[in-house]
Amino acid sequence: MAKKSHLKRRRLSSTAEVQVLSMSRRRCAICYGLLGDTGIKDGQIAHLDRNRNNNDIDNLCFLCLNHHNTYDAKMLQAKHLTVDEVKIYRMELYAAIKAGVLRRPSVSRRVGPARVSSRADAEIMMRLFDRRLKLYVGFLKFLSHVTEKADLELSFLYRFSRHITIRCFVFGDDIEEYLQEVKKKAIRLRAIRRMVQHEKDNERLQKLFEEESEVLSWLSDQFDEGQRRFKKYLQIDWKPGAG
Ligand SMILES: [Zn+2]
């Protein structure tokens, strides 16, 4: 990796690539350093000294597409975003990853109405809003499915659990806890319906029916309750003309 070829551009070795990707966990060092944005990004490995033949690990840094473009452009040099500065951000990012404090993106956990002051911020908020909206729609679909379907498939519940894990990256703890509660009720509903099928005792059967209707009514109420809880995450206060 240290040897340089002046004949043609040296390809980045896959080991170096894997190393950079795994160390950064696909978090952009500039997003992290300037915005505290710890979201996983679509990005590329940048050559910090802008020499594409220098594939030394210290010269490589994962940057989001946006920052990779602007880093390579003269514009950012004018803004004094120097190699050393990015290296500091990268060092802080790697340290944070090692310390395990990056599990939840800080910018993603901003509760609305979010203030948007720069174009980069606006883009982050836009993407975040988009993702939040999709997850909220997914939640509504889950509720419809759970309340309408007589027999809930286990695979459907597993999928929802997986989505809770994704949701905890883009919402706060309150939503995660809330969704766990919804999931528990859905699982309970499924269990009650299974028990009903095998229960012979009339009194116990009656109790199960009562509980079923209680749980079902609770779940139906979550269309409104969910809207109330998600609402604060789906508000953006756009300041025009900034950035
Ligand atoms: Zn970035």
Side-chain angles (χ1 to χ4, degrees), residues 28-31 41 63-64 66-67:
C28 167
I30 299 177
C31 280
K41 296 285 150 63
L63 294 179
C64 69
N66 199 17
H67 281 137

Side-chain angles (χ1 to χ4, degrees), residues 5 43 46 49 66 84 105-106 118 120-121 141 144 154 186 196 203 209 219 232:
S5 155
D49 65 359
N66 199 17
D84 287 340
S106 60
S118 73
D121 259 1
K141 280 185 189 159
S144 305
L154 262 185
V196 161
E203 204 176 314
F209 280 136
L219 282 165
K232 62 177 179 179

Side-chain angles (χ1 to χ4, degrees), residues 215-230:
V215 175
L216 199 56
S217 141
W218 187 91
L219 282 165
S220 304
D221 287 345
Q222 300 319 304
F223 284 99
D224 287 338
E225 180 59 23
Q227 186 188 26
R228 196 183 64 75
R229 292 186 188 234
F230 278 88

Side-chain angles (χ1 to χ4, degrees), residues 19 43 72 121 127 129 132 157 167 188 202 209 213-214 216 222 236 238:
Q19 218 177 327
D72 281 336
D121 259 1
R127 245 177 289 149
F129 179 81
R132 281 177 172 174
L157 284 166
R167 281 182 182 93
R188 183 63 195 156
N202 267 344
F209 280 136
S213 104
E214 239 171 73
L216 199 56
Q222 300 319 304
I236 296 182
W238 298 101

